[in-house]
């Protein structure tokens, strides 16, 4: 369930804001509204955090085993600053090397000479300029121009011309801008720059094992930054400061007692209709195992939406099993899950939620594989007799008609899930005539189900009953009359207002009927994706089969091919679960529930680092 929330306002003495902030953090109950810290201490913490983030990002480019030992906060920041200095050395070195490389390439055709000698000659009254002109233009040079031919490349002659800068040169002449250093000096500088880069990179790489320690320091710094944000961000009016946030209603008495003990002024109130409290989902141990999936997706229900964790878990397990569709794969996952569970219990004394979820998914996959006689894509005729007899004939892979029957199972699952969605909406609106609109949609889903069976599976096997059409028509009428009903306006005005609203949006209303059809048809993906997985398994077996029974090297090749092919199929099945299994819950089911998943997670102001791991909060300047 989604825990009820209370709006909380806390008033404290301005002189005690630091102690109050520390006490609030120790309580770990209040989800604070966004605050903006101020002051020198806050800005310094922000700068330190930015440096740590950059340093950690820099070290992630280097793979290294973590080094033991923790870092104190100041040590971590000092290390981060040192890493950033090294990074600047690398960047400056690359810039210098790039500039030197360009200069070397420009000067190299002229050879290695000392630019200072040209300056000395010019000071002695012998101005020297280096130019290149097309070879065919040499004959057109002025007779009074003194020049020395230095070389030739790509049809251009390189000349040393004895002439001042005010002397005219041929139009096609390109003059060499005198370099600051000789070619050998430039090459030496390039080598030195590359050496500095290599040294700096080696220094950074040598610190890569400290990445985990820096990450721990970052968490510690976040603790201090959160504290300083609250301390310095409290609005202040004379001797009083205050802050606001959200509190689970069940924590109200404990919070009131803490406020009395600390001498705070507090006000607890119900959230108004235009306010959006954070969402705290409270689930039992069984349902809680689905939370890692929500965390992975980054989805949080709106405070005023449904908590569908239990239903999501139920359908997700079924969808997972049908998409994987292979008892052999399920057995491998089950063995891996049992190993992970034993390891987790040995290390922590309990089995973690992700491992428990894996065990549930694996067990369901084994069951579905047994029901469909699907074991590593092996032909049912070659399966052990007891495995083949576990599968009911209707959906056994040995039955040619099993495909249509599995489609029927898929559409029936879709029917059940969408009917559950509208039943929840009916119960939500039961105190208003608006529930009749949801009842109409409930009827439309039931009627359209038979149209789907008729069009997708078989028109002869699933003839459309007349009462299904009546359900659709009556459901559409109820939805048209009561779908937007507002009881606060009175019965007659509420009905007329609903009809006028739906009439103005008639196209959307009609498309809603089409969407029900599309959503039900969408459940065929469970059959289609599962069938694709079986097809891949069978193809891998057919490719590897002829290799078995040959020479040892061929047998080894067959085993490698089987392992690779089935491993790849398992990976593809995992991706299919993410794309299709999650989609049916997050789009089709949630869409019929009217959920937008627009909430944000309840995250109280609390300690996130064990005591003694970080420095004491800095006092404000």
């Amino acid at each position: 369930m989604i825990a009820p929330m209370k709006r909380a306002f806390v008033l404290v003495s301005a002189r005690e804001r630091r102690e109050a902030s520390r006490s609030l953090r120790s309580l770990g109950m209040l989800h604070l509204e966004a605050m903006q810290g101020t002051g020198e201490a806050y800005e310094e913490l922000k700068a330190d955090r930015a440096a740590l983030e950059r340093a950690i990002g820099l070290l992630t480019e280097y793979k290294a085993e973590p080094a033991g030992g923790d870092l104190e906060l100041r040590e971590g920041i000092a290390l981060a600053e040192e890493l950033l200095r090294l990074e600047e050395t690398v960047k400056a070195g690359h810039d210098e090397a790039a500039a030197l490389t360009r200069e070397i390439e420009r000067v190299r055709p002229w050879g290695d000479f000392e630019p200072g000698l040209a300056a000395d000659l010019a000071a002695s009254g012998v101005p020297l300029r280096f130019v290149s002109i097309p070879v065919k233009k040499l004959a057109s040079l002025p007779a009074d121009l003194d020049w020395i031919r230095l070389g030739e490349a790509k049809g251009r002659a390189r000349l040393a011309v004895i002439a001042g800068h005010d002397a005219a040169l041929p139009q096609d002449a390109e003059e060499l801008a005198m370099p600051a250093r000789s070619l050998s000096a430039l090459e030496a500088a390039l080598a030195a720059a590359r050496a500095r880069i290599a040294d700096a990179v080696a220094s950074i790489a040598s610190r890569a094992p400290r990445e985990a320690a820096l990450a721990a320091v970052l968490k510690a710094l976040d603790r201090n930054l959160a504290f300083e944000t609250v301390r310095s961000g409290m609005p202040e009016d004379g001797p009083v400061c205050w802050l606001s946030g959200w509190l689970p209603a069940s924590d109200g008495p404990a919070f009131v007692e803490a406020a009395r003990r600390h001498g705070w002024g507090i006000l607890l109130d119900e959230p108004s209709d235009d306010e959006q409290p954070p969402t705290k989902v409270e689930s039992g141990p069984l349902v809680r195992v689905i939370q890692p999936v929500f965390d992975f997706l980054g989805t949080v229900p709106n405070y005023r939406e449904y908590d569908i964790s239990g239903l999501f878990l139920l359908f997700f397990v079924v969808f997972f099993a049908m998409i994987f569709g292979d008892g052999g794969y399920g057995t491998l996952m089950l063995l891996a899950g049992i190993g992970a569970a034993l390891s987790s219990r040995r290390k922590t004394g309990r089995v973690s939620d992700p491992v428990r979820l894996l065990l549930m998914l694996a067990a369901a996959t084994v069951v579905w594989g047994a029901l469909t006689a699907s074991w590593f894509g092996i032909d049912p005729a070659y399966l052990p007799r007891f495995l083949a007899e576990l599968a009911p004939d209707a959906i056994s892979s040995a039955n040619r008609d099993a495909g249509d029957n599995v489609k029927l199972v898929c559409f029936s699952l879709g029917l059940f899930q969408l009917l559950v969605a509208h039943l929840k909406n009916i119960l939500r609106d039961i105190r208003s005539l608006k529930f009749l609109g949801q009842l109409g949609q409930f009827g439309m889903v039931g009627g359209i189900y038979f149209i789907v069976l008729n069009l997708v599976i078989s028109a002869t096997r699933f003839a459309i009953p007349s009462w299904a059409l009546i359900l659709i028509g009556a459901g559409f009428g109820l939805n048209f009359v009561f779908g937007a009903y507002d009881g606060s306006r009175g019965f007659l005005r509420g009905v007329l207002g609903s009809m006028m609203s739906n009439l103005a949006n008639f196209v959307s209303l009609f498309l809603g009927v089409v969407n029900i059809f599309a959503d039900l048809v969408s459940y065929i993906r469970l059959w289609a994706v599962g069938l694709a997985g079986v097809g891949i398994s069978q193809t891998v077996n057919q490719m590897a089969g002829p290799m078995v029974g040959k020479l040892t090297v061929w047998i080894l090749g067959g085993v490698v091919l089987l392992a690779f092919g089935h491993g790849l199929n398992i990976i593809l099945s995992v991706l299919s679960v993410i794309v299709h299994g999650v989609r049916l819950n997050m789009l089709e089911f949630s869409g019929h529930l009217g959920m937008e998943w627009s909430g944000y997670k309840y995250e109280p102001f609390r300690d996130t680092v064990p005591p003694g791991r970080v420095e004491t909060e800095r006092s404000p300047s």
Side-chain angles (χ1 to χ4, degrees), residues 479-595:
N479 191 39
F480 178 76
V481 175
F482 295 102
Y485 179 79
D486 183 1
S488 64
R489 303 171 61 187
F491 173 74
L492 186 58
R493 288 187 177 182
V495 169
L496 290 176
S498 176
M499 293 175 65
M500 293 301 295
S501 175
N502 285 326
L503 192 60
N505 299 285
F506 188 79
V507 174
S508 298
L509 191 69
F510 176 75
L511 289 177
V513 181
V514 178
N515 284 338
I516 293 175
F517 176 84
D519 289 345
L520 279 170
V521 171
S522 182
Y523 284 80
I524 201 173
R525 67 183 65 236
L526 298 173
W527 164 80
V529 177
L531 182 63
V534 172
I536 293 175
S537 298
Q538 293 174 343
T539 301
V540 172
N541 294 342
Q542 291 171 4
M543 293 172 63
M547 302 172 71
V548 179
K550 303 285 185 178
L551 297 175
T552 304
V553 66
W554 287 103
I555 294 176
L556 181 60
V559 171
V560 171
L561 180 57
L562 285 171
F564 174 79
H566 286 289
L568 179 62
N569 197 19
I570 290 174
I571 294 173
L572 292 175
S573 297
V574 172
L575 295 176
S576 297
V577 168
I578 296 173
V579 173
H580 301 289
V582 170
R583 174 209 162 98
L584 292 173
N585 274 316
M586 299 300 295
L587 293 182
E588 277 78 1
F589 183 46
S590 297
H592 283 257
L593 284 168
M595 293 183 63

Side-chain angles (χ1 to χ4, degrees), residues 253-270:
F255 193 76
V256 169
E257 174 58 26
R260 184 194 62 76
R261 191 167 60 251
H262 292 288
W264 303 332
I266 64 168
L267 171 64
L268 299 182
D269 198 5
E270 296 295 329

